[in-house]
Amino acid sequence: MKYYNNILQTIGNTPLVKIHTMCKEVDALVLSKIETVNPGNSVKDRMALQMIDDAEADGRLKPGGTIIEGTSGNTGMGLALVALLRGYKLICVLSDKQSKEKMDILRAVGAEVHVCPTNVAPDDPRSYYSVSKTLADTTPNSWYVNQYDNPSNTKAHYLTTGPEIWEQTEGKITHFVVGVGTGGTISGVGKYLKEKNPNIKIWGIDTYGSVFKKYHETGIFDENEIYPYITEGIGEDILPKNVDFSVIDKFEKVTDKDAAVYQRKLAKEEGIFVGNSAGSAIKGILQLKEELTKDDVVVVLFHDHGSRYVGKMFNDDWMRERGFLDEEKTSAVDLIKDHAGKHLVTVTEENPVSQALLLMNQYGISQIPVVEGNKCVGSLSDNHLFAKLLDNSELKELPIKHVMEAPLPEVDGKASIEEVSKLFSNGATAVVVNYDGDKKHIITYQDVIRAIA
Ligand code: PMP
């Protein structure tokens, strides 16, 4: 019989698959290392196992202990598998930009999940770096993994991923391309490959909003490079010890939009259903295609599985809301596609002004049509209401008809975007669009800007 003794034995030995159509314009042979077939569906199983093995070996992790880690989800999954098989408790600290799927998956394999705000500085006590450290300091018999600075992270890739790639390409690899987060993957694989052949180029994929590329090129840690971004798993606002800049030949930045668009292309055009950083990595190769020639053998590593992104990059509404879907917008009805499913908030002439204020507040909107049946008879805007209320705060309890303004201009769904824009340049604060028979919706200035930007 041929079987494994437990799931951990299935980690590693992942396949190398040629990119079928997406790299046609690249002269080189492009092969992808599909890490999604690891039991936790990501490359991170490798380093999770190595980090725990090493911590057990030198006594940092003791029987019955609690493992604590700040993780974007994939490392957590790897740690969870090892923890549950070896009888440890696992606490994962995540930032709130991580997909809900990742959080639910971690809970499914027994981890306790803490969610922290993304947009705070690393040394802010609410940051996921700080919360992880505090939990580690206050939980008895605990071990803080710290994948950023833990050398076992890089070691896992030096001992397994690097040798696999070398053997699978029979030493013919010329370029290794991969997204960089903690740096473990690129540094471990890069070190191994450079030792085998120092001419192999190691290219790191970075994202806009991260410090890596500039630091690599100039030695300057530039805080101005740091801002929130959408791409998951890669880029940092710190310099993790696991990033060995000396084995990296070049960093290439890929935009959030391209990462998402190329992640979807990998699924649609290659049948390779992988994560967001894979989209960045494949796009990075296309951006660098001029540097590749026909004898080159490029290996790109795809970190994790697409299922973790079904509520985000693989969801059309999510993509549309961020302007990531290149749908041609030509008519008024195209402008409201991403909120057509939401009901139009309206008031009637007889409703009290306080009702309009409540709705504006609740839905975060700045104008409301006043309707009678299906007819717009007036409108209210927050600026106008504010000015009126400053004059007389008792207006709040009066019927809306006493303060309402003229109805918003209306257009048919088929009206052109130019027609709609003209109404805004003539001073309209919003425009009502009539479509699908008797449906109405509101077009805001932001909707028009998004369409023409
Ligand atoms: N992609 C994804 C989806 C990840 O979770 C990570 C880990 N943060 C990376 C890429 C980057 O890998 P590494 O941490 O080894 O640099």
Side-chain angles (χ1 to χ4, degrees):
M1 290 191 285
K2 208 171 168 188
Y3 63 90
Y4 296 97
N5 279 325
N6 64 52
I7 197 72
L8 303 182
Q9 292 179 351
T10 68
I11 295 175
N13 292 313
T14 54
L16 206 53
V17 179
K18 183 180 164 186
I19 298 294
H20 175 64
T21 59
M22 276 175 76
C23 290
K24 272 198 177 126
E25 57 192 89
V26 180
D27 247 350
L29 172 65
V30 181
L31 305 171
S32 57
K33 181 92 168 138
I34 310 286
E35 290 296 315
T36 58
V37 301
N38 282 304
N41 293 139
S42 97
V43 73
K44 294 287 186 166
D45 291 356
R46 297 174 185 264
M47 49 75 99
L49 180 60
Q50 188 72 52
M51 292 190 300
I52 291 182
D53 277 346
D54 291 350
E56 283 175 339
D58 64 19
R60 277 172 293 157
L61 178 58
K62 296 183 189 66
T66 298
I67 301 172
I68 297 174
E69 180 58 331
T71 163
S72 66
N74 290 324
T75 302
M77 181 66 177
L79 290 170
L81 298 183
V82 188
L84 72 87
L85 279 158
R86 297 194 184 166
Y88 301 113
K89 182 180 169 194
L90 173 65
I91 302 180
C92 290
V93 185
L94 269 73
S95 64
D96 58 7
K97 82 164 187 185
Q98 303 302 328
S99 58
K100 189 174 169 300
E101 289 78 9
K102 284 184 179 174
M103 300 174 192
D104 288 341
I105 289 167
L106 284 174
R107 291 189 185 106
V109 285
E112 190 178 307
V113 173
H114 288 242
V115 183
C116 303
T118 307
N119 299 334
V120 294
D123 55 4
D124 185 295
R126 292 164 300 164
S127 83
Y128 93 121
Y129 307 103
S130 309
V131 171
S132 324
K133 281 195 187 116
T134 310
L135 275 169
D137 290 343
T138 53
T139 310
N141 192 17
S142 66
W143 166 59
Y144 174 44
V145 181
N146 190 5
Q147 58 172 325
Y148 294 95
D149 301 334
N150 186 327
S152 307
N153 175 1
T154 294
K155 181 176 157 192
H157 298 290
Y158 179 80
L159 292 179
T160 69
T161 327
E164 283 173 31
I165 293 172
W166 179 255
E167 278 155 33
Q168 285 171 312
T169 59
E170 295 171 346
K172 295 191 183 84
I173 176 172
T174 57
H175 296 76
F176 177 61
V177 182
V178 70
V180 182
T182 67
T185 315
I186 197 161
S187 305
V189 174
K191 182 170 184 299
Y192 182 86
L193 293 177
K194 290 246 183 205
E195 280 173 12
K196 286 288 182 189
N197 173 2
N199 295 325
I200 295 173
K201 296 278 176 276
I202 308 295
W203 290 349
I205 302 300
D206 194 12
T207 184
Y208 290 90
S210 154
V211 295
F212 289 147
K213 183 171 161 67
K214 178 152 189 189
Y215 183 79
H216 184 247
E217 288 168 4
T218 63
I220 296 167
F221 180 87
D222 185 354
E223 289 197 353
N224 294 322
E225 292 281 300
I226 302 170
Y227 54 86
Y229 53 85
I230 294 169
T231 303
E232 283 189 40
I234 65 172
E236 288 299 340
D237 50 4
I238 54 165
L239 294 175
K241 289 205 181 92
N242 272 309
V243 186
D244 179 355
F245 286 93
S246 72
V247 303
I248 301 168
D249 293 287
K250 174 196 276 295
F251 274 100
E252 178 73 5
K253 284 194 187 233
V254 174
T255 64
D256 287 337
K257 177 177 175 180
D258 280 343
V261 168
Y262 281 78
Q263 177 186 5
R264 288 163 65 107
K265 274 178 186 275
L266 277 168
K268 277 233 168 83
E269 295 175 23
E270 302 286 333
I272 300 179
F273 189 44
V274 282
N276 192 219
S277 62
S280 303
I282 198 78
K283 179 60 167 46
I285 294 176
L286 294 169
Q287 288 173 197
L288 294 168
K289 65 178 181 189
E290 303 306 333
E291 300 186 30
L292 296 166
T293 56
K294 80 173 185 0
D295 294 327
D296 287 336
V297 176
V298 182
V299 173
V300 56
L301 185 142
F302 294 157
H303 272 85
D304 67 343
H305 201 259
S307 56
R308 286 175 192 168
Y309 305 84
V310 287
K312 297 179 94 179
M313 292 80 184
F314 290 112
N315 177 299
D316 284 355
D317 291 336
W318 186 95
M319 290 287 283
R320 204 173 279 127
E321 277 160 25
R322 284 152 190 82
F324 288 178
L325 278 191
D326 283 331
E327 294 170 315
E328 214 189 330
K329 291 187 173 172
T330 54
S331 62
V333 75
D334 293 337
L335 294 173
I336 50 133
K337 252 191 189 155
D338 58 345
H339 44 88
K342 295 184 189 146
H343 91 116
L344 176 64
V345 180
T346 57
V347 285
T348 68
E349 285 181 298
E350 298 305 328
N351 286 143
V353 171
S354 57
Q355 164 96 4
L357 288 169
L358 197 76
L359 289 169
M360 283 178 166
N361 200 14
Q362 186 176 347
Y363 292 100
I365 50 181
S366 44
Q367 55 269 311
I368 302 187
V370 182
V371 296
E372 280 315 319
N374 199 36
K375 195 168 174 287
C376 292
V377 292
S379 69
L380 281 177
S381 69
D382 54 358
N383 281 342
H384 173 78
L385 263 187
F386 185 62
K388 288 273 178 195
L389 284 167
L390 274 185
D391 270 355
N392 175 8
S393 65
E394 274 155 32
L395 273 183
K396 259 200 265 179
E397 298 319 320
L398 290 181
I400 282 169
K401 64 182 172 204
H402 292 292
V403 293
M404 72 186 189
E405 299 158 85
L408 296 169
E410 294 189 43
V411 292
D412 183 75
K414 293 194 203 77
S416 70
I417 292 199
E418 288 71 30
E419 241 173 280
V420 178
S421 309
K422 215 175 270 166
L423 292 170
F424 279 101
S425 33
N426 289 341
T429 51
V431 172
V432 170
V433 53
N434 295 293
Y435 65 106
D436 277 3
D438 61 352
K439 287 194 186 152
K440 286 186 190 301
H441 226 299
I442 202 161
I443 300 173
T444 64
Y445 198 42
Q446 284 305 322
D447 295 326
V448 181
I449 289 177
R450 233 180 291 150
I452 57 182

